[in-house]
Amino acid sequence: MSQSEQPITTLSDHRKSLQDLKKSYEESKEPEKQQIGEIITYELHDILKKYSLDFSKEQMKIFNDPIHGHMELHPLLVKIIDTPQFQRLRHIKQLGGKYLVYPGASHNRFEHSIGVAYLAGRLVKSLHNNQSELKITKQDFLCVQIAGLCHDLGHGPASHVFDNLFIPEAKKIKKSKGLPDDIPENWKHEQMSVLLFDDIVKSLKAENEDVLNEHGLDDKDVTFIKELIEGAKMSEWTYEGRDEDKSYLYEIVANKQNGIDVDKWDYFARDCHHLGIRNSFDHLRLLKFARVCKVNERNHICFRDKEADNVYEMFRTRYTLHRQAYQHKIANIIEDMLAEALVRADRDLHEGKPKDMLMISEAIKTAEDYSKLTDEIFEKILSSTADNLREARDILIKIVRRKLPKFVGEARLTQKNTSKEELTETWKTAVEKYKPTDPTISLNAEDFSVYVVDLDHGMKDKNPIEYVYFYSKRKPNEAFPIKDYQLSSFLPKRFNEELVRVYCKRSDGNEEEEKKKVEEAEKCFQIWCNSKFGLH
């Protein structure tokens, strides 16, 4: 009989089995009655041990956090935290180059990762307490927490600067120079997180071969943790860590379905706190109203219908953080310069591979080499006297001394999907046609850089709340998408926008000349915007 053909055991079936067991116990005689009682007690204890998520208070370690308060973590998580691979995250800024614009944004990936592990545990416990039928085990609980703890192990120097800016540029240079290119396509930090997690497991087992078994985990659980780190896309069920009936566990750390996960809950709260930006999204309230329901024959995490505005506020918070901080006009240009410094310092991008340069793009090949790659690399470049690092050093000195390209202007694009190349060409034409009001100033198109910035609520031009399912108080097991009339009429009709930004390179001329040049560029920028960027 296939799994789908097997009869479904209902709650009343279980109750009848318990009644039969009770009757059998009562009808038995001594000493059989005592033996049956011991068997029943042992079996019930074993069930409670497996499905209870309560751990001995003596086992747990408490971390005091400015965002979540006192966080209790399991000793296995503490063992992972105390490894060099995890401690490395103390030296990687959560917001990369944004720290050079927002002085308070000095927090690191280390505390964020611990916060995600804590929130992952709270969400699992909330689901377990509200829905015992989900049969969430201690092993499930630990695996989800460990995945939350280790999901960002693979971040490189200045966080997203490494995988979003440096690695793509390194691949491009290798291709243009005909150098061997063994960087995987679309390389992302999650791939390295899995590699480093494997390395942590290996190092823990070297000290104690039974370290996982002592906490009830096995190789299947290790596979599950790695799947959680990478995130499940949920088409056909091809995942080995857990059966399809526990698909909802794959949505807790990295949710590929609608973007609602504890990773965002932590960094929204943490980043807003350190940036000094108001956070109007209440993740603790949403956590309490989370529930697992069937959606298209699969278990998904859903939320109470009255929380729809709070869910939207989460997406709105994401947009606000991108608009005010993550895509800040000065922070972006600084991060471009940080990436450029890494490119200029990377020995693997030079045919001779000079020994006085740094191994950067090659480091992604092994966990051992990558573990040495942190934000400290920028200090190494700054303090180096190597001639081959002079270009990289000069770029970082410009950042330190605030010798940055001058911001000319920003405008919202009126046409969708306009490429940076098209805009660069029309801007070049606009500069060539422009006649400066000050005859002593001339503009050269080569002195300007054009950037395109995408801002959205998490799903490009789509309304992300359309991908979230809700339940009602009266029908807690029936999931449904929210209706327009159930949401505020003040919500936007569009959910993404593109901005074009122009910067002017700094010259060695005097400050007065440079100021006049930027003023003329701003006038040219206004004309260009009024012409709809020269696009037809």
Side-chain angles (χ1 to χ4, degrees):
M1 184 184 291
S2 69
Q3 191 173 1
S4 60
E5 293 172 335
Q6 289 176 358
I8 298 171
T9 305
T10 64
L11 203 58
S12 60
D13 292 331
H14 288 298
R15 191 172 285 112
K16 187 175 184 301
S17 297
L18 285 171
Q19 288 170 347
D20 291 342
L21 191 64
K22 184 180 178 182
K23 185 179 178 183
S24 175
Y25 173 77
E26 289 172 346
E27 290 177 351
S28 61
K29 297 178 180 179
E30 297 291 352
E32 289 85 0
K33 190 170 189 175
Q34 184 179 348
Q35 291 174 340
I36 292 171
E38 288 174 357
I39 292 169
I40 292 171
T41 302
Y42 176 81
E43 291 296 328
L44 287 174
H45 179 73
D46 195 50
I47 291 169
L48 284 172
K49 185 180 176 182
K50 183 177 181 180
Y51 291 103
S52 169
L53 301 189
D54 293 325
F55 295 92
S56 167
K57 291 292 180 184
E58 290 76 24
Q59 286 185 307
M60 309 301 275
K61 186 166 184 177
I62 296 175
F63 291 75
N64 191 7
D65 182 64
I67 308 304
H68 306 301
H70 293 90
M71 307 180 296
E72 289 187 348
L73 293 184
H74 187 275
L76 182 56
L77 272 73
V78 177
K79 281 186 183 353
I80 293 170
I81 290 169
D82 290 341
T83 61
Q85 297 93 328
F86 191 88
Q87 290 292 317
R88 162 185 176 273
L89 297 180
R90 288 184 185 272
H91 309 292
I92 296 175
K93 287 283 178 288
Q94 172 79 10
L95 296 183
K98 282 79 177 179
Y99 173 52
L100 297 170
V101 174
Y102 287 90
S106 58
H107 55 304
N108 302 302
R109 291 278 161 187
F110 179 84
E111 51 265 39
H112 162 65
S113 298
I114 294 174
V116 174
Y118 171 70
L119 284 181
R122 286 201 61 174
L123 180 52
V124 172
K125 276 192 175 182
S126 178
L127 296 174
H128 170 77
N129 292 341
N130 293 332
Q131 296 176 270
S132 59
E133 68 273 15
L134 295 174
K135 297 180 182 177
I136 295 173
T137 65
K138 281 186 174 176
Q139 288 72 29
D140 295 334
F141 175 79
L142 278 177
C143 287
V144 175
Q145 275 208 308
I146 292 170
L149 188 68
C150 298
H151 79 289
D152 271 352
L153 285 173
H155 269 295
S159 287
H160 287 293
V161 167
F162 192 83
D163 53 349
N164 288 352
L165 298 175
F166 169 70
I167 288 294
E169 187 62 23
K171 280 190 71 67
K172 192 193 299 182
I173 291 171
K174 286 187 173 190
K175 186 176 180 181
S176 67
K177 289 187 175 183
L179 297 170
D181 178 15
D182 44 15
I183 300 174
E185 283 296 329
N186 302 316
W187 186 90
K188 292 295 179 187
H189 72 270
E190 288 88 353
Q191 295 165 252
M192 184 52 68
S193 293
V194 168
L195 198 62
L196 284 168
F197 175 68
D198 275 334
D199 203 47
I200 286 175
V201 172
K202 184 179 175 182
S203 64
L204 290 179
K205 283 187 172 182
E207 293 179 8
N208 175 10
E209 181 63 34
D210 297 322
V211 65
L212 296 181
N213 293 336
E214 286 173 1
H215 300 290
L217 303 184
D218 56 23
D219 290 342
K220 186 177 180 181
D221 293 313
V222 171
T223 298
F224 179 42
I225 292 165
K226 292 192 284 189
E227 289 173 344
L228 291 173
I229 290 171
E230 291 188 313
K233 292 187 178 176
M234 303 279 189
S235 48
E236 290 185 21
W237 195 256
T238 57
Y239 303 99
E240 299 174 5
R242 289 296 183 271
D243 294 334
E244 195 170 356
D245 64 326
K246 290 195 173 178
S247 57
Y248 58 91
L249 293 176
Y250 287 79
E251 299 173 3
I252 292 172
V253 175
N255 192 339
K256 302 290 186 182
Q257 311 310 301
N258 54 37
I260 302 178
D261 52 48
V262 295
D263 176 30
K264 289 185 183 65
W265 294 2
D266 181 85
Y267 79 70
F268 285 174
R270 196 171 299 278
D271 291 355
C272 283
H273 173 80
H274 289 283
L275 290 165
I277 294 173
R278 181 175 174 271
N279 179 19
S280 55
F281 163 61
D282 187 349
H283 68 271
L284 291 177
R285 183 174 172 84
L286 198 60
L287 186 150
K288 289 184 179 297
F289 286 102
R291 186 174 178 83
V292 174
C293 302
K294 283 280 185 190
V295 179
N296 299 324
E297 301 304 315
R298 188 173 285 166
N299 286 330
H300 287 277
I301 296 176
C302 304
F303 303 95
R304 178 75 183 276
D305 50 1
K306 67 177 182 177
E307 291 305 300
D309 284 335
N310 191 24
V311 170
Y312 174 73
E313 204 58 48
M314 191 200 89
F315 295 117
R316 180 70 187 178
T317 298
R318 181 189 185 279
Y319 168 82
T320 300
L321 281 166
H322 274 272
R323 189 72 177 90
Q324 294 185 26
Y326 304 159
Q327 305 292 346
H328 188 280
K329 61 188 179 187
I330 304 304
N332 274 12
I333 205 71
I334 286 174
E335 292 195 334
D336 268 8
M337 293 173 74
L338 290 175
E340 180 64 19
L342 293 178
V343 166
R344 300 292 179 90
D346 190 359
R347 74 172 72 155
D348 195 46
L349 303 183
H350 296 76
E351 294 193 35
K353 294 192 177 183
K355 290 184 179 179
D356 58 351
M357 298 183 78
L358 303 172
M359 186 178 76
I360 305 174
S361 59
E362 280 278 305
I364 68 171
K365 289 181 179 178
T366 67
E368 183 183 359
D369 289 335
Y370 197 81
S371 292
K372 300 169 187 172
L373 210 52
T374 67
D375 288 359
E376 291 172 353
I377 194 170
F378 298 113
E379 294 302 322
K380 284 182 183 177
I381 295 170
L382 275 169
S383 60
S384 170
T385 56
D387 189 58
N388 280 314
L389 292 177
R390 181 177 53 80
E391 289 184 356
R393 190 164 56 246
D394 288 347
I395 292 170
L396 295 184
I397 289 171
K398 284 180 181 178
I399 294 174
V400 170
R401 299 185 63 190
R402 246 2 182 230
K403 301 291 184 182
L404 310 173
K406 290 287 186 180
F407 178 71
V408 173
E410 173 187 277
R412 183 170 55 83
L413 288 171
T414 53
Q415 293 185 22
K416 287 185 179 181
N417 303 319
T418 307
S419 70
K420 178 181 174 181
E421 289 72 26
E422 284 180 278
L423 290 164
T424 301
E425 281 302 311
T426 62
W427 169 252
K428 183 179 178 182
T429 303
V431 170
E432 289 169 352
K433 287 182 179 180
Y434 179 71
K435 294 179 181 179
T437 55
D438 185 338
T440 64
I441 301 296
S442 62
L443 299 183
N444 184 346
E446 302 303 318
D447 292 337
F448 298 93
S449 301
V450 177
Y451 290 84
V452 175
V453 177
D454 292 314
L455 296 170
D456 59 58
H457 286 62
M459 288 191 167
K460 302 298 182 185
D461 60 342
K462 298 183 179 71
N463 180 356
I465 211 162
E466 292 177 0
Y467 296 83
V468 183
Y469 282 83
F470 297 85
Y471 66 89
S472 67
K473 184 177 182 179
R474 292 184 179 179
K475 296 181 179 179
N477 296 318
E478 291 185 19
F480 56 86
I482 209 74
K483 304 292 183 185
D484 286 343
Y485 60 78
Q486 293 174 283
L487 292 167
S488 169
S489 59
F490 288 101
L491 296 188
K493 299 301 178 187
R494 284 190 58 188
F495 292 88
N496 75 314
E497 62 184 4
E498 288 183 316
L499 306 177
V500 59
R501 290 172 178 167
V502 174
Y503 297 84
C504 179
K505 296 174 186 174
R506 292 186 77 113
S507 63
D508 295 328
N510 64 55
E511 285 190 21
E512 190 58 36
E513 277 185 24
E514 205 159 87
K515 183 180 177 184
K516 288 179 181 179
K517 184 178 177 182
V518 173
E519 286 174 355
E520 292 294 341
E522 287 172 350
K523 293 172 185 176
C524 180
F525 183 80
Q526 292 299 324
I527 294 169
W528 184 54
C529 292
N530 291 334
S531 72
K532 295 187 178 179
F533 315 104
L535 300 166
H536 301 289

